[in-house]
Amino acid sequence: MSAVSDRLPTFPWDKLEPYKKTAAAHPDGIVDLSVGTPVDPVPELIQKALIAAADSPGYPTVWGTPELRDAITGWVGRRLGARDVTHRHILPIVGSKELVAWLPTQLGLGPGDKVAYPRLAYPTYEVGARLARAEYEAYDDPTRLDPTDLKLLWLNSPSNPTGKVLSKDELTRIVAWAREHDVLVFSDECYIELGWEADPVSVLHPDVCGGSYEGIVSVHSLSKRSNLAGYRAAFLAGDPAVLGDLLEIRKHGGMMTSAPTQAAVVAALSDDTHVRDQRERYAARRTALRDALLKHGFRIEHSEASLYLWATRDESCWDTVAHLAQRGILVAPGDFYGQAGDTFVRVALTATDERVAAAVERLAR
């Protein structure tokens, strides 16, 4: 066991505990903007679907019910503009983090193989490579990477933590380069429904992939767009050859989404109204926090999409974390996402309206 855990870095969130205690000591309580975990209610139609499927004594299937597959393919066509998507082009997964962490292992990667991910990135991309004993490399422009032994290229648009969005032209160029060098692309698009100053595009859009899904897979989650983080509901869409292999592996591993959750996902993907309502909540919180941070002396970069503001006072991120903790506000230090973020903090929009208002009031002092 220790041989596996020794491959992993220190869990970053443990470093934040002293600052969390400082923020929690504020007379009016903590405003926790550090973790992007939803706080708003699960939409009623989704709860009802979950309850209706509660009597599920048998094992669910890894590939999901036909109704689930229909809902996913319908959403991929309707929302992403993807064409000719069939059940063979999709695969339910047990939350997107599980997939990110174990994908290199499930792809059979190991020593001598390389995984690449953005310079500022979700830490689990690196963790997945470490678990598989593969090599890993961070990039600014993936087309400048040496493709030798590069087996898996992670894209993330909109980005966590920066909210940066890759344009359609950028995605087209990257996909063409990856295909030229026989590099498998997985595009983490979990925030694609949350574009503010940009309209995020999927790698599955025909203008990007040319109508072919060869060598590309997109990753999607219902955690943010439907407040289903507690349900662990996500899915893949793309190359049927890649997904077919992953389906067989995941059958052996028992990596199946619970039957009630599958029913809830059908309801969630079949309704766009609750997504618009949730977007409006986040948009209002984003405007309030953005204005308050700017007035407090912060500069905000990127942040044109996703659930975060990428903010800096041009000092050590830990100094900024301490500064805000003294005001009862907890944020994530930018170096959690790579050394390139060492002067930034990530400010999540996932707090109640009341807590966001408290943060705005404290930043005004």
Side-chain angles (χ1 to χ4, degrees):
M1 290 295 294
S2 62
V4 176
S5 62
D6 286 348
R7 297 179 211 160
L8 305 179
T10 301
F11 189 63
W13 294 98
D14 292 344
K15 302 176 187 177
L16 205 54
E17 280 303 312
Y19 301 91
K20 186 173 185 178
K21 289 179 180 177
T22 298
H26 190 279
D28 187 37
I30 188 173
V31 179
D32 193 342
L33 306 178
S34 63
V35 182
T37 186
V39 298
D40 299 302
V42 173
E44 187 176 359
L45 84 160
I46 300 174
Q47 293 189 48
K48 287 182 176 178
L50 184 84
I51 293 167
D55 186 14
S56 297
Y59 289 111
T61 63
V62 173
W63 202 18
T65 62
E67 293 78 12
L68 175 61
R69 284 178 259 143
D70 283 343
I72 294 173
T73 56
W75 182 87
V76 167
R78 183 177 78 251
R79 179 61 185 83
L80 305 183
R83 299 172 183 164
D84 303 318
V85 177
T86 71
H87 288 194
R88 293 176 55 249
H89 293 90
I90 60 94
L91 179 63
I93 53 177
V94 191
S96 58
K97 184 170 185 176
E98 168 263 307
L99 182 281
V100 173
W102 293 107
L103 179 63
T105 299
Q106 292 177 16
L107 291 173
L109 305 189
D113 298 322
K114 189 165 61 179
V115 176
Y117 48 82
R119 180 80 57 196
L120 284 164
Y122 186 46
T124 312
Y125 302 134
E126 177 185 329
V127 166
R130 287 180 178 239
L131 285 169
R133 290 196 175 99
E135 305 298 318
Y136 49 90
E137 182 176 352
Y139 65 78
D140 293 308
D141 178 350
T143 65
R144 295 182 178 274
L145 290 166
D146 180 354
T148 306
D149 300 320
L150 179 59
K151 304 298 184 183
L152 173 61
L153 174 64
W154 278 109
L155 305 181
N156 180 208
S157 175
S159 163
N160 175 14
T162 68
K164 182 180 179 181
V165 173
L166 294 174
S167 70
K168 187 182 294 184
D169 288 345
E170 288 176 298
L171 288 171
T172 302
R173 176 176 60 86
I174 293 166
V175 167
W177 177 87
R179 285 174 168 168
E180 178 185 353
H181 296 287
D182 196 27
V183 175
L184 177 62
V185 173
F186 265 67
S187 181
D188 183 343
E189 300 174 355
C190 289
Y191 296 91
I192 201 164
E193 300 264 32
L194 297 166
W196 311 116
E197 297 160 2
D199 187 13
V201 178
S202 172
V203 291
L204 303 184
H205 193 284
D207 290 350
V208 173
C209 67
S212 167
Y213 304 119
E214 181 181 359
I216 56 173
V217 176
S218 63
V219 184
H220 295 275
S221 167
L222 285 86
S223 293
K224 308 302 194 291
R225 51 96 69 189
S226 296
N227 298 334
L228 296 190
Y231 285 45
R232 309 315 301 135
F235 59 89
L236 307 177
D239 191 331
V242 174
L243 298 185
D245 283 347
L246 288 177
L247 174 59
E248 292 306 311
I249 292 166
R250 294 170 71 86
K251 284 180 181 177
H252 284 289
M255 295 178 172
M256 57 190 81
T257 305
S258 75
T261 296
Q262 291 188 31
V265 171
V266 172
L269 291 179
S270 301
D271 175 73
D272 295 329
T273 301
H274 77 276
V275 180
R276 288 194 295 268
D277 292 344
Q278 189 60 45
R279 274 181 53 87
E280 290 176 5
R281 294 186 192 101
Y282 284 136
R285 293 166 187 166
R286 178 180 183 272
T287 298
L289 285 170
R290 186 177 187 278
D291 290 349
L293 288 166
L294 290 173
K295 290 175 182 175
H296 195 74
F298 281 86
R299 186 177 76 256
I300 294 172
E301 292 192 0
H302 303 303
S303 306
E304 58 259 34
S306 83
L307 280 182
Y308 312 104
L309 293 168
W310 189 237
T312 182
R313 301 203 312 165
D314 295 309
E315 63 184 6
S316 163
C317 59
W318 288 100
D319 288 345
T320 305
V321 169
H323 170 79
L324 292 174
Q326 291 292 336
R327 288 155 178 79
I329 301 169
L330 189 68
V331 297
D335 66 4
F336 277 9
Y337 309 94
Q339 284 304 309
D342 62 3
T343 60
F344 284 80
V345 293
R346 193 194 73 169
V347 183
L349 309 179
T350 49
T352 64
D353 292 343
E354 183 274 331
R355 288 288 83 188
V356 168
V360 169
E361 190 272 332
R362 294 174 196 181
L363 288 168
R365 292 176 186 169

